[in-house]
Amino acid sequence: MVNKNILSRSLLLLLLLLTSILFLSGSRNFGAQLCTKGDLDGDGITEEYKLTNHVLTVKEGSQEIWKSSSDYYIDSFALGDINNDGEVNLVVSLWKKGSFGEMKPFWHTGKDNDYKNHLFVYQLKENTFRHVWCSSNLDHPILSFDIKDNNGDGRNELVVEEGQYKKIVGEKYTANPNGTKRTVIWQWEEWGFCLQKIL
């Protein structure tokens, strides 16, 4: 009798553990691999951009010139002229702890421990990636995005499928697989993105 109870409890715990792993991995493309090529610095040498197990690496030939921070959990990325300055950018959807970086704005005096989704924009100059723009915590997590001229005005927009957050534990969030989804169009305006349309 005791052995059956222990076995039943063990199986229940195992089932709960497997369900948790599947939920967490399925909500954010666990193990997804994406690879593309581009010449962002215009030096005539093509870079390879490869996303493996949520780590983005960039190589020129056999030389690795950039690797995403171990503090970042990269969901997806795209190459495109997102700020319409004539140069192609690296645009990354990532998850990280804290809405801000090392330097917080003067008005923020509390803790900064939320683990949420962010959008970062980089440019490549002289084999060095530099931040063009980095969002704080996004109000809605990015499920997918594309960079394209959506309205035919000759300027690229950021077309985003947004979802909703689901709290996992404490201040850690994930994308809610059962949450409401919407498509949103953002346009770069001088220093950041302005909402153009919600579809």
Side-chain angles (χ1 to χ4, degrees), residues 30-47:
F30 182 79
Q33 187 173 29
L34 181 65
C35 187
T36 193
K37 295 182 179 186
D39 183 14
L40 270 66
D41 57 1
D43 64 357
I45 303 171
T46 302
E47 306 96 33

Side-chain angles (χ1 to χ4, degrees), residues 3-198:
N3 289 338
K4 286 184 180 180
N5 284 338
I6 291 172
L7 182 61
S8 295
R9 287 182 185 163
S10 297
L11 287 173
L12 180 61
L13 285 173
L14 180 61
L15 180 62
L16 288 171
L17 178 63
L18 288 173
T19 303
S20 298
I21 290 169
L22 288 173
F23 169 76
L24 291 174
S25 65
S27 65
R28 294 197 310 220
N29 283 336
F30 182 79
Q33 187 173 29
L34 181 65
C35 187
T36 193
K37 295 182 179 186
D39 183 14
L40 270 66
D41 57 1
D43 64 357
I45 303 171
T46 302
E47 306 96 33
E48 179 185 65
Y49 296 78
K50 189 172 186 180
L51 179 62
T52 306
N53 295 323
H54 306 286
V55 175
L56 181 60
T57 54
V58 181
K59 290 184 176 181
E60 270 192 356
S62 61
Q63 179 187 0
E64 183 177 284
I65 61 172
W66 189 77
K67 185 175 186 178
S68 59
S69 168
S70 60
D71 295 333
Y72 299 163
Y73 182 99
I74 308 291
D75 265 337
S76 59
F77 73 95
L79 306 181
D81 183 8
I82 194 60
N83 57 1
N84 296 294
D85 66 353
E87 297 183 11
V88 177
N89 303 103
L90 168 63
V91 183
V92 178
S93 169
L94 62 93
W95 294 74
K96 74 176 196 72
K97 183 178 179 182
S99 189
F100 310 104
E102 293 175 13
M103 300 179 67
K104 296 178 181 73
F106 69 89
W107 65 84
H108 184 80
T109 56
K111 291 182 179 180
D112 186 25
N113 295 326
D114 283 351
Y115 182 86
K116 288 188 171 180
N117 191 212
H118 299 254
L119 185 77
F120 283 13
V121 178
Y122 297 92
Q123 66 179 357
L124 178 60
K125 297 285 184 189
E126 299 170 1
N127 280 356
T128 303
F129 278 92
R130 298 186 176 111
H131 291 109
V132 172
W133 186 82
C134 301
S135 77
S136 52
N137 289 339
L138 296 173
D139 291 336
H140 299 275
I142 295 172
L143 303 177
S144 64
F145 72 93
D146 194 10
I147 302 165
K148 63 181 180 179
D149 181 4
N150 192 63
N151 59 7
D153 67 352
R155 300 176 69 207
N156 285 331
E157 290 87 30
L158 182 66
V159 182
V160 180
E161 182 183 27
E162 295 181 344
Q164 294 179 324
Y165 286 112
K166 178 176 181 154
K167 185 178 263 194
I168 299 173
V169 63
E171 297 177 62
K172 187 169 184 175
Y173 296 81
T174 188
N176 184 347
N178 300 316
T180 304
K181 299 174 185 176
R182 66 181 189 175
T183 301
V184 181
I185 312 297
W186 297 90
Q187 178 75 64
W188 182 269
E189 297 292 345
E190 295 192 31
W191 183 243
F193 293 95
C194 291
L195 179 63
Q196 296 295 303
K197 188 186 291 187
I198 299 174

